[in-house]
């Protein structure tokens, strides 16, 4: 997997949970991925110019307000299951037809935001997801905005679907694939953690970062479906494993930073 300095620095700041990142730490981290010191310094300058990071003291940086809210939302993966409640069988529905599709950038951000909240397109511009989120409609609207959906769209709860519509709803998410992913990633992470002590520190840091990024992305984009659409226990086991893996990763990377 080929990384660039810009993306790696942002990922490190996201993982830092609000703590500053020094240029020395960024250089040490990027060296593991064969990214030059000059590339790191150029990335820091450009990220600052783009308003994504701010100086947090001499030679250290933190996420700028423009990125902090999104970072805070993404960081909620650590407590994903706490956003859920019992499902009554209803669905959240959002209609985006009036927003148009001519602005490709806005469309891309909108579709990403909807996907991150588990919405799927039932018909053109009509997106749905099970109504099993603790958040009320206003909170969900705000979260969509934070995730990149710039314009408001009607959001409501839909019930009493026709038999035909219910059949189509049941095909929007692949529960079997999700269950398989939960179990496979759980096994991969568990096996790696059991052997982590046998790896050289830089090898462990590199592998931990790459595998952890894959696992956390799976959590961030998980639609958080209710049963019987997925195996909720398999998902819980996976989430617990990712949290344990994340804690180990922080310890491994702390050693890398100390050693410079």
């Amino acid at each position: 997997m080929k990384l660039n300095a810009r993306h790696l620095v942002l990922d490190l700041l996201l993982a830092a949970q609000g703590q500053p990142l020094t240029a020395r730490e960024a250089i040490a981290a990027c060296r593991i991925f064969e990214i030059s010191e000059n590339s790191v310094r150029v990335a820091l300058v450009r990220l600052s110019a783009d308003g994504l990071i701010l100086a947090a003291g001499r030679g250290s940086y933190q996420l700028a307000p423009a990125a902090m809210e999104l970072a805070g939302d993404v960081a909620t993966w650590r407590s994903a299951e706490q956003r859920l409640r019992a499902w009554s069988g209803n669905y959240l529905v959002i209609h985006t037809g009036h927003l148009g599709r001519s602005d490709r950038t806005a469309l891309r951000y909108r579709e990403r935001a909807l996907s991150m909240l588990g919405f799927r397109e039932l018909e053109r511009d009509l997106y749905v997801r099970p109504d099993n989120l603790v958040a009320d409609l206003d909170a969900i609207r705000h979260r969509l905005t934070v995730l990149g959906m710039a314009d408001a769209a009607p959001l409501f709860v839909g019930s009493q679907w026709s038999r035909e519509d219910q059949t189509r709803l049941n095909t929007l998410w692949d529960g079997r694939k999700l269950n398989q992913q939960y179990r496979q990633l759980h096994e991969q992470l568990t096996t790696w953690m059991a052997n982590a002590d046998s790896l050289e520190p830089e090898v462990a840091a590199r592998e931990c970062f790459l595998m952890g990024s894959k696992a956390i992305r799976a959590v961030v984009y998980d639609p958080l479906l209710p049963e019987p659409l997925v195996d909720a226990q398999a998902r819980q086991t996976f989430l617990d494993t990712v949290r344990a893996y994340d804690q180990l990763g922080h310890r491994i990377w702390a050693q890398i930073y100390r050693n410079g």
Side-chain angles (χ1 to χ4, degrees):
M1 178 179 179
K2 183 67 174 177
L3 296 172
N4 62 49
R6 179 185 177 94
H7 289 156
L8 185 52
V9 168
L10 285 175
D11 282 347
L12 291 170
L13 281 166
L14 284 169
Q17 301 180 52
Q19 296 300 311
L21 176 76
T22 67
R24 175 177 174 273
E25 290 169 341
I27 291 167
C30 288
R31 185 183 300 124
I32 292 174
F33 296 93
E34 300 181 348
I35 298 173
S36 70
E37 177 177 339
N38 183 63
S39 295
V40 178
R41 296 193 182 280
V42 169
L44 290 170
V45 171
R46 290 180 176 172
L47 286 168
S48 181
D50 291 342
L52 293 175
I53 64 174
L54 294 172
R58 186 173 182 179
S60 64
Y61 301 87
Q62 63 186 24
L63 291 173
M68 278 296 292
E69 193 169 16
L70 175 59
D73 187 275
V74 171
T76 61
W77 71 264
R78 292 182 176 87
S79 56
E81 67 272 38
Q82 295 178 22
R83 301 202 300 268
L84 302 178
R85 60 176 173 81
W87 185 41
S88 66
N90 294 337
Y91 287 81
L92 294 174
V93 185
I94 186 166
H95 185 256
T96 64
H98 67 292
L99 301 181
R101 293 174 175 258
S102 58
D103 187 335
R104 305 305 296 177
T105 299
L107 176 62
R108 184 172 69 254
Y109 286 148
R110 181 164 74 240
E111 290 182 339
R112 183 189 67 178
L114 289 166
S115 178
M116 288 179 71
L117 258 69
F119 282 91
R120 298 294 183 266
E121 196 169 25
L122 179 64
E123 296 180 358
R124 184 177 175 88
D125 299 323
L126 188 69
Y127 295 81
V128 299
R129 67 148 293 126
D131 181 22
N132 66 321
L133 301 180
V134 171
D136 61 22
L137 295 182
D138 285 340
I140 293 170
R141 291 186 187 98
H142 176 71
R143 207 168 159 226
L144 286 168
T145 300
V146 169
L147 293 174
M149 187 168 169
D151 300 305
L155 173 67
F156 52 93
V157 177
S159 60
Q160 298 182 350
W161 300 85
S162 70
R163 183 175 301 177
E164 179 183 349
D165 286 336
Q166 187 63 62
T167 299
R168 293 167 60 204
L169 286 166
N170 292 339
T171 66
L172 294 181
W173 299 271
D174 191 339
R176 182 177 298 179
K177 183 177 180 180
L178 284 168
N179 292 337
Q180 184 179 38
Q181 177 177 261
Y182 299 145
R183 296 184 178 101
Q184 286 181 344
L185 288 175
H186 162 72
E187 183 176 349
Q188 291 172 11
L189 297 177
T190 301
T191 300
W192 191 91
M193 287 190 289
N195 296 293
D197 289 343
S198 66
L199 301 174
E200 292 295 324
E202 290 196 355
V203 174
R206 181 171 60 251
E207 291 184 359
C208 181
F209 181 90
L210 295 175
M211 192 179 297
S213 295
K214 177 182 177 182
I216 291 172
R217 179 180 174 81
V219 179
V220 169
Y221 280 90
D222 190 280
L224 297 176
L225 302 174
E227 288 189 320
L229 301 182
V230 295
D231 183 341
Q233 184 56 57
R235 179 178 61 212
Q236 186 63 55
T237 299
F238 165 60
L239 292 173
D240 292 340
T241 303
V242 179
R243 282 191 285 264
Y245 187 92
D246 181 59
Q247 292 174 2
L248 175 60
H250 278 278
R251 294 195 293 271
I252 290 171
W253 276 90
Q255 180 182 354
I256 293 295
Y257 290 151
R258 284 195 301 270
N259 295 340

